[in-house]
Amino acid sequence: MIRLNNVVARYTTVRGSINAVDGVTLEIPDGCILGVAGESGCGKSTLMKLIYGDVTSPMSLASGSIEYGFADGKGRAITSDNIRDVWFNRISYIPQSSMNSLNPVVKIGKQFVDFPGSDPDKKRVLAQVREYIGKLGLPAETLDAYPHQLSGGMRQRVMIAMATFFSPDLILADEPTTALDVVVQKDILLLLMDLQEQMGNTILLVSHDMGVHYQVTTRMLIMYAAKAVEYGDSESVFQAPLHPYTRMLISSLPTIGDDRARDGIPGRPPSLWQDLHGCRFADRCPLATARCRAEEPMLVEHKPGHWAACHYAGELADRAEAA
Amino acid sequence: MAVILKTTGLNKVYRLGSFTRSREIRALNDINIHVESDRPVIVSVVGESGSGKTTLAKTLLRLVEPSSGTATIYDNVVAGKGVTKLGRDFLGAVQPIFQNPFEAFSRYRPVDAYLHETATRVAGLDKAQANDAVAEALAAVGLDAVDVRGKYTNQFSGGELQRVSIARALIPKPNLIIADEPVSMIDASRRMIIINLFRKLKEEAGRSFLYITHDLATAYYISDFVAVMSKGTLVEFGPAKEVMSNPQHSYTRLLLDSIPTTRTRWRPRAAKAA
Amino acid sequence: MSDIRDTAVSPADLAASEATPEAKPVRRDRASWLWLLNTRLVLGLIIILIFIVGSFVLPFFAPHDPAQQATYMKNLKITPAHWLGTTALGQDTLWFLIFSIRNSLILGIFVGLGISAISTAIGLSAGYIGGAYERIVMLIVDSFITIPLLPILIILGALIRGNNNFFTIGLIIVIFGWAWNARTIRSMVLSLREREFINMARFSGAGTLAILVREVFPYVSAYLVVGFINTILFAINTEATLAVIGMSKVDVPTLGSIIFWALNYNALFTGNVVWLVAPIVATITLFLGLFLTSTGFNAAFASRRGVA
Amino acid sequence: MGVLQYVGKRVGIYLAVLFIGLTVTFFLPRLLPTNPIDAYIGQLQARANGQLTSEAIAQLRTSLEELYGLKGDLFSQYLSYLNRVVRHLDFGPSFTYYPTSVSSMILTALPWTLGLLLISTIIAWILGNLVGVVAGYFHTRRAATVLEVVGILLYPIPYYILAVSVILLLAYVIPIFPLSPTFPVGQLTPQMFGSIIYNSTLPALTLVLAGFGWNILSMKALAVATTEEPYVTFARLKGTSNWTRMVRYVFRNAMLPQVTALALSLGTVFNGALLTEILFSYPGVGLLMRTAASSGDYDVLYGAITLSIVAVATAGLIIDLVYPLLDPRIRHR
């Protein structure tokens, strides 16, 4: 169980500071694939950095705390302070620009063992890795190749191999398949799902593509303008979204074989530089009332295991049931 | 029935390496497309990266010289023998929309300068007529001339800037607008604004579009015809609804199956434990 | 494909992309001239201004032409009459230094203009036209970069021993000194040629000349300023190097000839150390000023283009 | 396959550059008003204080033209010049030290120059880049800017000022080194080696300081850019130490463009070496050219410039051929 207690991630720049993640409280059960969705700039990538513990200036964990619920090799409970010691051991990260996240002038094999998390006996580890990557559809000689000799799909498999070799408790994947073609993307996503099933650990997947979330995730978190607006089981979030933003996000995507008219969400997220109050989606929300603009809706459990931050989420739930 | 777009035996071969040992990359491999219709149409060219769809677009825009074969848009020969002079008549007939709106305008010039230039230089209007044409084109894409005058690229969002780029292409009232991945740089939730705009311009302004994309769902949504390309060859071409609902070529089927839709899951969900 | 431009990668991008673009325009108008000022540029400009104003204005007040020898007693120490003493040839060291700076700057600016003009024309045309023309030009550029300039200047100095004046030295430096800048401008233009807004301009009816002037030039102009200042540095340095080894017209006071005379008349042995130290300090300060200005401009232009 | 192509292209450029260099040094003196033969005759007349009769002068002119291949029309001269230089490296005899051949004089001086040049350039390159990568990698920290300031102060200072300042400081104010260095001539024996090192420290130091500043600044800029690369960020997320990232990720990648930059800068570095030799009267090609220029021994000058071009172009070629060994992307196409 990973617990986020009202975490706030702040960016301090020369022009002042903004909260890229503004008070998120969440409990992530173990053994699930949590999808994090939202428009670009909503704070989803910042949340990932926060959970991974990659907090370097100008970003800082302004308030709140994270409890990871798993321990390191020596039995010490992991917290935000000592998370770095277990990077690529108990927790790992799959970066977005996987295409050039490998050192172009060093062989792949060497990059598997040049970090402290791995076992000091490099030869033994490399032998195990050579056998392990076979399971991920990579030929053994990949380890002796240089990154530029591999295709995009293969490089992404290497990244996944690196991130899963030590079977960590938590894997964070930030848009892992964005740069890949749709055919290769499917194989990679299926591979991630298989590995999660075998290891039984937790994967946090950030993607802007709701289709990817529908296919892969078991739980969904929707973010908007640095706030968590909906959180719950993927099935119910897709079938009966409680928050108007989620509803519009899902309905704005054209689907092959479905001729219903689709239109994008007009307007733009509010600038985080202004001081915002009330519901941040109010300007773009068809259901917005005076109450929405005045009072900020909290993330409330309107249905068992299904949270939403909208004053009218309850009515939407009943109306959905009635329909 | 006017011939909107016709390519016969269009080839493009890139030679890599020096004179001793050269590797050939066949970017376009004997492309034969024939689009005839009396109403304006939207033709989509779909395929993955490296399929040659962008090379095809650049060839039709005469930004790339084809190795062989011919291509015509309405009565303009744009590639191969008898190519019409690269002058105002070509620019009047074919206009582009580029992928990254922030790259399509110089950082040092106000965005509306390009619109006025197109109006005066390509459409051949005088100063006053040009201002009206610019205002009219901006209105067609849902923008007001005053929001755009004298502004620079960093004062717009991606979506707004792409609409300005579309307005610019509308001014000379071209026969065909070639849009190369026009929405891939726009936020997923706001793409449909641009896609619906294309449909509206086709129906109301009577513009035909060549829509280059790797996103089959948007292609399905707005196009009349679809051309599927793979590794430089045209594997399938036909009415959009037909090609997408029962694809003939195995590659098209593979492409359609791989799209992560929100309708049917690749893997049925085990009974949910929690 | 996600909205790549907006998807946050580095913290700086993120702060910018988390905030929607409306916030930026306000900063842009108010600070339109502010982006120019950074510490390096200010420091550099101050130094250069002092040198230019000093060396172009003061000569009008000079009591005698410092190049004329034996106007004063030899090797006088620093006195209120001669702030830097006199040289072994009976010239006032300070006035000789001021005239040297002026002449060197004149040569530097002329050669700078000459080289900038040639290198821009060649670099711009080679980069933009490309093809066989570019290959030939770049071959010549590569060989000019390989040919060491000093030996050539020594040969020409020896051959036209008699009447090599200031102007011919400058001309030779221009003939052999344009390659570096041409190479840089060409690579900049090459990368610009692929940019999308060039195609956009072409489809808006712009001709080649209009594209070069309106689209390419603003991006290249930043480097031209930096390149011009670097060329002044290069020109003064080259002439001075020739003068120090006596191959240039040494009776014209320049930052090189002053040191030539100091070395030839054994300033060190005769204890007239000031005669050597003063030009060294002056040259270092001037060159530092020029260098700070050019890197200051570079940083200012880079931040304006968003390439911090 | 990639390397063959790379080498082929690079050797092609090398030959073309040599050809252009030779052509320029051939035509350059001929475009100028004065003719070396008249100068030679002038000097002979001065030596024979005017007793030479007109036929003697005419006879002298033909023999000199013969000797220096200045007979016939310009183009045949050019061909014979190329033939002599490329095939036999023969630039004719030296005028002042007749009959010793120009090429022998240069070939004795060249090893001195190359020795000084190569050692100091390599030291400057290695030291400068190491300091530069530290300054670039830690550019957000105050301390790193101190390193950059060293680069800023050193880089703009021209060679001749560095040389004179070094003499001033280390030979006059703190007289550790000789004010006018003396170098043993003739056969190199082991015990002479010590004195050579001692005397050539100052010129070497000048060249190192000159190259040092440039390498710091250019490597710092490259290191700052490389640190932003995704593979360095990912290395950080893997928990690698600062040291591993700086050396194996940033330096290993950022030094590649520095190798090419070194090849390109050889022309200017060679200039600096020639000048430093003259100021320190170090017995290299520079000094040879200086004395030949003042004594009007033109063919030594032509020989020296031609060999300088060959040396610089060859050094550039060697560095570019080393490049594929450092960059696997070229080694394994």
Side-chain angles (χ1 to χ4, degrees):
Chain A
M1 173 72 76
I2 299 160
R3 188 171 295 108
L4 304 174
N5 311 325
N6 196 12
V7 292
V8 172
R10 175 163 304 149
Y11 270 89
T12 36
T13 62
V14 67
R15 282 173 43 201
S17 66
I18 55 166
N19 292 345
V21 170
D22 205 348
V24 170
T25 304
L26 216 58
E27 278 174 12
I28 306 169
D30 290 342
C32 79
I33 300 182
L34 171 65
V36 184
E39 289 173 80
S40 59
C42 68
K44 50 188 192 290
S45 284
T46 310
L47 185 65
M48 292 289 272
K49 285 189 184 190
L50 212 57
I51 296 174
Y52 190 67
D54 173 24
V55 181
T56 53
S57 81
M59 171 180 138
S60 59
L61 176 61
S63 68
S65 65
I66 302 174
E67 292 145 33
Y68 290 89
F70 52 83
D72 67 0
K74 298 185 269 314
R76 269 184 326 170
I78 301 294
T79 64
S80 300
D81 321 326
N82 60 17
I83 185 78
R84 281 170 181 261
D85 313 337
V86 290
W87 274 358
F88 271 73
N89 197 296
R90 304 282 10 102
I91 180 172
S92 61
Y93 193 87
I94 301 174
Q96 175 186 346
S97 47
S98 70
M99 297 302 286
N100 33 44
S101 293
L102 292 167
N103 189 340
V105 290
V106 169
K107 285 187 177 154
I108 302 279
K110 243 169 159 217
Q111 301 187 49
F112 254 90
V113 288
D114 69 357
F115 50 90
S118 89
D119 185 322
D121 174 355
K122 300 224 180 332
K123 245 188 228 29
R124 193 166 58 80
V125 170
L126 274 180
Q128 287 169 343
V129 169
R130 203 173 285 273
E131 181 235 313
Y132 175 70
I133 60 174
K135 283 196 297 200
L136 272 70
L138 287 169
E141 55 280 353
T142 313
L143 294 187
D144 312 319
Y146 287 94
H148 70 279
Q149 294 171 297
L150 305 179
S151 73
M154 286 173 75
R155 257 180 286 192
Q156 192 61 352
R157 285 171 194 274
V158 165
M159 303 305 292
I160 291 173
M162 251 187 226
T164 54
F165 177 67
F166 295 94
S167 59
D169 294 308
L170 177 62
I171 301 174
L172 284 82
D174 186 353
E175 304 262 10
T177 58
T178 304
L180 300 176
D181 288 329
V182 69
V183 175
V184 176
Q185 169 176 270
K186 180 174 180 180
D187 300 339
I188 298 288
L189 292 176
L190 291 176
L191 173 65
L192 263 179
M193 290 158 78
D194 295 344
L195 287 171
Q196 191 271 336
E197 220 168 292
Q198 287 156 24
M199 293 187 286
N201 57 8
T202 311
I203 294 184
L204 260 65
L205 173 70
V206 165
S207 175
H208 65 281
D209 183 339
M210 292 303 271
V212 168
H213 285 302
Y214 180 76
Q215 294 294 346
V216 177
T217 64
T218 52
R219 297 186 71 80
M220 277 297 295
L221 167 67
I222 314 288
M223 294 201 56
Y224 184 78
K227 290 272 183 193
V229 293
E230 183 148 1
Y231 175 60
D233 173 68
S234 297
E235 199 58 35
S236 49
V237 166
F238 274 97
Q239 298 316 330
L242 295 181
H243 195 284
Y245 175 64
T246 316
R247 183 191 308 282
M248 290 170 85
L249 209 52
I250 295 170
S251 69
S252 75
L253 299 181
T255 319
I256 292 181
D258 171 350
D259 295 342
R260 276 174 301 164
R262 310 276 172 165
D263 30 38
I265 307 172
R268 276 207 310 245
S271 155
L272 298 175
W273 291 99
Q274 303 146 353
D275 48 14
L276 302 159
H277 36 73
C279 173
R280 298 183 174 191
F281 186 60
D283 306 344
R284 303 169 76 188
C285 177
L287 310 173
T289 62
R291 182 179 173 212
C292 298
R293 294 188 202 289
E295 179 201 331
E296 182 187 332
M298 287 300 126
L299 197 65
V300 165
E301 192 172 12
H302 290 283
K303 272 171 39 185
H306 192 169
W307 284 263
C310 171
H311 300 308
Y312 304 97
E315 287 162 43
L316 285 172
D318 312 338
R319 215 184 300 151
E321 245 130 43
Chain B
M1 288 281 268
V3 175
I4 295 174
L5 169 65
K6 183 168 178 30
T7 68
T8 43
L10 204 57
N11 284 299
K12 176 63 185 176
V13 176
Y14 287 105
R15 212 168 299 287
L16 280 186
S18 63
F19 42 87
T20 52
R21 187 94 59 84
S22 63
R23 254 186 356 197
E24 274 186 3
I25 294 184
R26 299 194 69 81
L28 290 179
N29 199 343
D30 187 23
I31 304 289
N32 295 297
I33 296 181
H34 184 87
V35 177
E36 221 175 312
S37 153
D38 41 27
R39 289 180 301 95
V41 289
I42 295 182
V43 179
S44 296
V45 180
V46 296
E48 299 191 301
S49 53
S51 60
K53 56 186 191 302
T54 304
T55 314
L56 176 62
K58 287 204 179 326
T59 311
L60 296 176
L61 288 167
R62 295 172 64 169
L63 297 174
V64 155
E65 269 307 305
S67 311
S68 63
T70 63
T72 55
I73 296 174
Y74 279 85
D75 39 29
N76 287 288
V77 177
V78 291
K81 294 190 311 316
V83 172
T84 45
K85 201 171 67 52
L86 186 67
R88 186 178 292 181
D89 40 25
F90 170 72
L91 297 181
V94 180
Q95 280 291 333
I97 297 171
F98 295 107
Q99 174 171 4
N100 183 349
F102 291 96
E103 268 291 302
F105 297 93
S106 161
R107 185 184 287 273
Y108 292 97
R109 296 185 65 206
V111 163
D112 55 323
Y114 292 89
L115 279 82
H116 287 285
E117 257 175 49
T118 312
T120 47
R121 288 253 185 75
V122 179
L125 306 169
D126 63 33
K127 206 77 189 75
Q129 290 168 319
N131 287 336
D132 305 343
V134 166
E136 183 203 317
L138 284 172
V141 296
L143 287 174
D144 193 300
V146 106
D147 318 338
V148 173
R149 185 166 306 114
K151 282 201 180 158
Y152 289 83
T153 51
N154 62 3
Q155 296 171 275
F156 295 95
S157 79
E160 283 161 358
L161 205 51
Q162 195 66 311
R163 279 191 275 153
V164 172
S165 180
I166 295 168
R168 188 207 65 77
L170 289 174
I171 292 176
K173 298 193 177 4
N175 310 21
L176 182 67
I177 294 181
I178 297 180
D180 183 6
E181 299 260 15
V183 289
S184 62
M185 303 298 280
I186 313 284
D187 221 317
S189 56
R190 293 200 291 280
R191 276 182 194 150
M192 289 316 294
I193 299 172
I194 305 280
I195 296 292
N196 286 326
L197 182 58
F198 283 151
R199 189 202 289 237
K200 179 167 100 44
L201 292 171
K202 176 189 91 169
E203 282 148 7
E204 290 165 12
R207 293 283 149 264
S208 287
F209 286 85
L210 189 71
Y211 173 53
I212 316 285
T213 182
H214 66 280
D215 179 350
L216 275 75
T218 51
Y220 173 84
Y221 185 74
I222 58 166
S223 45
D224 303 303
F225 295 95
V226 161
V228 180
M229 288 183 69
S230 167
K231 295 191 177 59
T233 50
L234 180 64
V235 293
E236 193 158 354
F237 177 78
K241 297 289 185 282
E242 212 184 291
V243 168
M244 298 273 202
S245 38
N246 62 58
Q248 301 307 316
H249 194 279
S250 60
Y251 179 73
T252 317
R253 269 196 295 277
L254 172 67
L255 217 53
L256 289 169
D257 291 348
S258 307
I259 299 171
T261 72
T262 50
R263 283 175 57 153
T264 51
R265 278 212 165 80
W266 294 330
R267 285 257 181 76
R269 269 297 126 88
K272 195 158 48 48
Chain C
M1 292 268 282
S2 83
D3 187 337
I4 292 161
R5 186 187 61 76
D6 276 357
T7 312
V9 178
S10 70
D13 291 351
L14 186 100
S17 71
E18 293 296 346
T20 50
E22 289 104 359
K24 281 196 202 97
V26 170
R27 196 166 57 76
R28 184 186 146 73
D29 308 333
R30 182 168 48 74
S32 55
W33 51 270
L34 256 182
W35 57 264
L36 195 67
L37 296 178
N38 55 52
T39 43
R40 278 191 200 192
L41 190 57
V42 169
L43 203 59
L45 283 175
I46 290 171
I47 294 176
I48 292 181
L49 273 181
I50 295 171
F51 271 85
I52 289 182
V53 169
S55 62
F56 281 85
V57 170
L58 290 177
F60 296 107
F61 305 99
H64 303 282
D65 170 5
Q68 207 199 358
Q69 295 178 355
T71 40
Y72 302 102
M73 293 293 292
K74 290 198 182 81
N75 290 335
L76 290 177
K77 286 288 167 275
I78 295 174
T79 61
H82 301 291
W83 288 359
L84 291 175
T86 61
T87 68
L89 301 149
Q91 301 151 320
D92 178 290
T93 313
L94 178 61
W95 285 116
F96 195 94
L97 181 59
I98 290 170
F99 274 68
S100 310
I101 295 170
R102 187 196 60 183
N103 296 338
S104 284
L105 276 175
I106 293 173
L107 179 100
I109 289 166
F110 271 106
V111 169
L113 289 173
I115 285 185
S116 294
I118 296 177
S119 54
T120 310
I122 294 178
L124 220 54
S125 57
Y128 193 75
I129 297 167
Y133 170 76
E134 183 206 354
R135 268 198 299 280
I136 296 165
V137 164
M138 285 324 289
L139 208 56
I140 297 171
V141 162
D142 282 347
S143 29
F144 269 64
I145 284 179
T146 316
I147 299 173
L149 182 58
L150 194 59
I152 290 192
L153 291 172
I154 291 176
I155 290 182
L156 295 178
L159 276 169
I160 47 174
R161 175 81 59 82
N163 50 33
N164 70 355
N165 58 37
F166 216 38
F167 180 69
T168 45
I169 301 276
L171 194 63
I172 299 162
I173 299 176
V174 169
I175 292 169
F176 284 92
W178 56 270
W180 271 97
N181 280 11
R183 184 189 172 82
T184 319
I185 293 173
R186 170 234 164 201
S187 53
M188 278 178 81
V189 171
L190 260 189
S191 64
L192 277 171
R193 202 174 52 166
E194 310 306 324
R195 298 281 293 272
E196 214 76 284
F197 60 84
I198 301 286
N199 294 334
M200 173 70 103
R202 190 172 293 137
F203 274 93
S204 307
T208 308
L209 197 63
I211 289 180
L212 277 180
V213 169
R214 273 216 221 100
E215 307 292 338
V216 172
F217 189 74
Y219 283 83
V220 172
S221 60
Y223 173 73
L224 289 186
V225 172
V226 171
F228 176 64
I229 296 171
N230 290 346
T231 317
I232 296 178
L233 213 70
F234 164 73
I236 298 176
N237 182 354
T238 311
E239 191 284 329
T241 309
L242 257 180
V244 161
I245 54 174
M247 296 310 299
S248 162
K249 196 158 177 48
V250 277
D251 39 27
V252 172
T254 70
L255 286 173
S257 58
I258 186 170
I259 290 181
F260 168 75
W261 293 114
L263 288 177
N264 266 26
Y265 281 79
N266 303 326
L268 292 185
F269 292 113
T270 57
N272 187 352
V273 180
V274 173
W275 187 14
L276 198 60
V277 167
I280 290 178
V281 168
T283 312
I284 291 179
T285 321
L286 172 63
F287 276 40
L288 198 61
L290 284 168
F291 177 70
L292 286 176
T293 312
S294 100
T295 40
F297 264 126
N298 217 353
F301 281 121
S303 63
R304 180 157 182 268
R305 266 200 321 277
V307 177
Chain D
M1 197 285 292
V3 182
L4 261 181
Q5 224 178 7
Y6 176 87
V7 169
K9 188 157 129 345
R10 193 55 195 77
V11 169
I13 294 176
Y14 169 68
L15 296 176
V17 163
L18 274 191
F19 176 72
I20 292 177
L22 291 179
T23 313
V24 166
T25 42
F26 174 79
F27 282 105
L28 195 62
R30 279 150 183 82
L31 299 180
L32 290 165
T34 63
N35 180 327
I37 300 297
D38 305 337
Y40 285 154
I41 292 169
Q43 283 181 27
L44 285 175
Q45 222 153 7
R47 278 197 207 145
N49 40 52
Q51 261 71 37
L52 287 178
T53 61
S54 55
E55 322 83 30
I57 294 171
Q59 208 267 332
L60 195 61
R61 181 179 294 281
T62 46
S63 63
L64 278 174
E65 277 169 3
E66 173 60 37
L67 201 60
Y68 290 105
L70 295 176
K71 270 203 349 314
D73 67 318
L74 206 55
F75 190 66
S76 57
Q77 278 180 33
Y78 177 54
L79 290 186
S80 74
Y81 167 79
L82 281 184
N83 173 3
R84 272 189 301 119
V85 166
V86 174
R87 290 259 297 284
H88 322 292
L89 211 59
D90 157 29
F91 295 94
S94 145
F95 182 74
T96 15
Y97 302 97
Y98 195 84
T100 43
S101 80
V102 167
S103 34
S104 65
M105 288 166 71
I106 295 172
L107 289 182
T108 42
L110 203 56
W112 286 87
T113 301
L114 291 183
L116 176 71
L117 185 65
L118 291 184
I119 293 170
S120 44
T121 309
I122 289 169
I123 294 174
W125 193 86
I126 292 173
L127 279 184
N129 281 302
L130 289 181
V131 168
V133 76
V134 170
Y137 185 78
F138 296 106
H139 68 280
T140 43
R141 303 210 188 135
R142 217 25 62 264
T145 39
V146 169
L147 297 176
E148 191 193 4
V149 164
V150 167
I152 290 176
L153 289 180
L154 266 179
Y155 169 63
I157 302 176
Y159 278 89
Y160 74 95
I161 291 286
L162 273 177
V164 172
S165 316
V166 160
I167 295 174
L168 198 64
L169 287 175
L170 297 177
Y172 183 77
V173 174
I174 326 155
I176 320 162
F177 293 98
L179 204 52
S180 57
T182 53
F183 290 90
V185 190
Q187 251 325 342
L188 288 183
T189 55
Q191 56 285 65
M192 278 196 228
F193 207 65
S195 89
I196 291 172
I197 298 291
Y198 172 62
N199 282 299
S200 49
T201 321
L202 285 191
L205 180 64
T206 313
L207 290 178
V208 168
L209 286 177
F212 191 55
W214 159 249
N215 281 312
I216 293 179
L217 294 180
S218 52
M219 173 49 101
K220 186 225 177 216
L222 282 168
V224 166
T226 313
T227 312
E228 308 292 326
E229 290 285 341
Y231 54 82
V232 179
T233 319
F234 182 62
R236 179 166 57 80
L237 298 180
K238 281 199 293 191
T240 51
S241 67
N242 267 331
W243 175 260
T244 327
R245 278 202 306 280
M246 185 170 73
V247 174
R248 180 174 301 162
Y249 283 80
V250 175
F251 184 75
R252 195 60 187 70
N253 282 283
M255 75 162 183
L256 297 176
Q258 284 293 76
V259 169
T260 332
L262 177 63
L264 279 174
S265 67
L266 286 174
T268 22
V269 169
F270 197 85
N271 274 351
L274 297 189
L275 174 79
T276 312
E277 284 175 11
I278 296 166
L279 287 178
F280 286 96
S281 53
Y282 177 88
V285 174
L287 200 60
L288 187 67
M289 292 183 76
R290 175 73 181 77
T291 39
S294 48
S295 64
D297 194 342
Y298 295 111
D299 285 86
V300 170
L301 277 177
Y302 301 149
I305 169 108
T306 311
L307 276 178
S308 320
I309 294 173
V310 171
V312 169
T314 313
L317 177 67
I318 292 165
I319 294 175
D320 279 353
L321 294 185
V322 161
Y323 187 85
L325 305 178
L326 304 170
D327 186 348
R329 284 167 290 197
I330 294 186
R331 217 169 42 247
H332 308 277
R333 174 52 63 196

